[in-house]
Amino acid sequence: MNIGRQEVIDRLNPLIKIIILVSVTILVTFDKWAYLTLTLFALSIILVGMFSKITVLGYLYKLRYVLVLSISYGIFIFWGQTASGEGVNIRYSISLGLRFLVMAGYSIIFVNTVKPMELTMCLIKYFKVPESFGFAFLAAYRFFPTFKYELDNIKCCHATRGVASEGFFSVFVNIPKYTIPLLVTSIRKGERVAISMENKAFGKYENRTVYRPLKIEKLDIISILLVMTIIFIIVFIFNKYELFKFSLKY
């Protein structure tokens, strides 16, 4: 199947994305300096811009709160080092702050490019998650948009009838008013899902058939080899010029 360059990440097997995400997370977790972490963040921007439907501006916009958190955490660590009198390590402070940014960045790419059904099948097939838990996760995941829609309807109804509370504590006052209708809705939808699964003989047969089997394609192999090679080259170059320090001590 021919696919556009902007759809490469979206078409990858979720297992490949999980491997890349875990690998990057391990590297930035034990990187004591900021050079590698910052380079991996730049790599994520390049991957998004070239091989994903997510725009670079949209990607950075999703990271706006994480960026504030990263800067705040870096400043807090720097202030703590200054106050303790143990010596200030600016590179280490920046590295700690950037870790949140890199982890969140690759996580956003994963969440925005993986399909819930494919992720569920990946958990069941490769990580041996029981099917009952896997499809329960899928059902719960798909309920979130429905609950948001129902919550918006409830808020509109309360506003129309003039029963919505206003003020600083309105969020807490309105919780009981929103909880009961949402609870009723969740029970109804949960019952419908249970009946539907019973009608389809869920769990009766040991081997289930799927409409679109999840397989490791040629694109997946090429992508994982290419990305891991790039990361290995970056680590090798940075280590050679003493720009990377892998440390288990904090």
Side-chain angles (χ1 to χ4, degrees):
M1 180 182 296
N2 294 326
I3 60 175
R5 189 184 66 181
Q6 300 294 331
E7 301 179 9
V8 171
I9 296 181
D10 301 72
R11 295 298 300 272
L12 289 179
N13 189 306
L15 178 64
I16 304 301
K17 301 176 189 179
I18 292 175
I19 293 175
I20 295 175
L21 176 61
V22 172
S23 301
V24 170
T25 301
I26 292 175
L27 281 176
V28 300
T29 298
F30 298 107
D31 178 26
K32 200 169 184 179
W33 295 344
Y35 304 111
L36 177 64
T37 306
L38 187 60
T39 304
L40 291 176
F41 178 67
L43 178 62
S44 71
I45 296 177
I46 295 173
L47 293 175
V48 166
M50 296 183 62
F51 303 108
S52 175
K53 291 182 179 179
I54 309 173
T55 63
V56 175
L57 291 179
Y59 173 63
L60 296 176
Y61 182 76
K62 293 177 184 292
L63 286 171
R64 62 192 186 281
Y65 296 120
V66 182
L67 178 61
V68 174
L69 176 64
S70 300
I71 295 175
S72 302
Y73 185 69
I75 294 175
F76 175 77
I77 294 298
F78 178 79
W79 175 80
Q81 291 177 342
T82 304
S84 64
E86 297 179 357
V88 177
N89 190 336
I90 298 179
R91 288 184 298 185
Y92 184 57
S93 302
I94 296 175
S95 176
L96 288 176
L98 287 175
R99 287 177 186 176
F100 292 103
L101 197 62
V102 175
M103 293 179 186
Y106 282 87
S107 299
I108 286 175
I109 296 175
F110 176 81
V111 171
N112 285 270
T113 58
V114 71
K115 298 177 181 178
M117 177 57 75
E118 291 183 352
L119 177 59
T120 303
M121 293 174 61
C122 175
L123 295 176
I124 294 174
K125 182 176 181 179
Y126 301 115
F127 296 94
K128 305 305 178 182
V129 174
E131 290 186 353
S132 56
F133 289 101
F135 284 97
F137 161 77
L138 179 62
Y141 182 87
R142 289 188 170 180
F143 275 165
F144 282 112
T146 304
F147 288 153
K148 184 179 183 303
Y149 176 76
E150 292 291 339
L151 180 60
D152 292 339
N153 285 341
I154 295 171
K155 289 181 179 179
C156 290
C157 291
H158 285 188
T160 302
R161 298 174 183 177
V163 296
S165 301
E166 298 180 355
F168 182 77
F169 296 100
S170 61
V171 176
F172 304 100
V173 174
N174 289 326
I175 287 179
K177 301 178 183 179
Y178 298 155
T179 303
I180 296 177
L182 287 176
L183 182 60
V184 172
T185 301
S186 63
I187 293 175
R188 288 176 179 173
K189 293 189 178 297
E191 186 178 6
R192 292 172 186 171
V193 171
I195 294 174
S196 175
M197 296 176 74
E198 284 289 337
N199 292 336
K200 295 178 180 179
F202 180 81
K204 180 177 178 58
Y205 302 102
E206 183 176 353
N207 297 322
R208 290 180 55 85
T209 58
V210 293
Y211 179 65
R212 294 179 180 175
L214 189 65
K215 299 183 294 185
I216 300 294
E217 304 287 350
K218 183 178 180 180
L219 177 64
D220 299 316
I221 299 175
I222 295 175
S223 299
I224 186 65
L225 291 177
L226 181 61
V227 173
M228 298 307 290
T229 301
I230 292 175
I231 294 177
F232 176 79
I233 293 174
I234 293 174
V235 173
F236 177 79
I237 294 176
F238 278 33
N239 185 63
K240 181 177 181 180
Y241 292 97
E242 298 182 352
L243 298 175
F244 170 66
K245 187 175 182 180
F246 190 87
S247 177
L248 299 177
K249 297 181 181 180
Y250 290 87

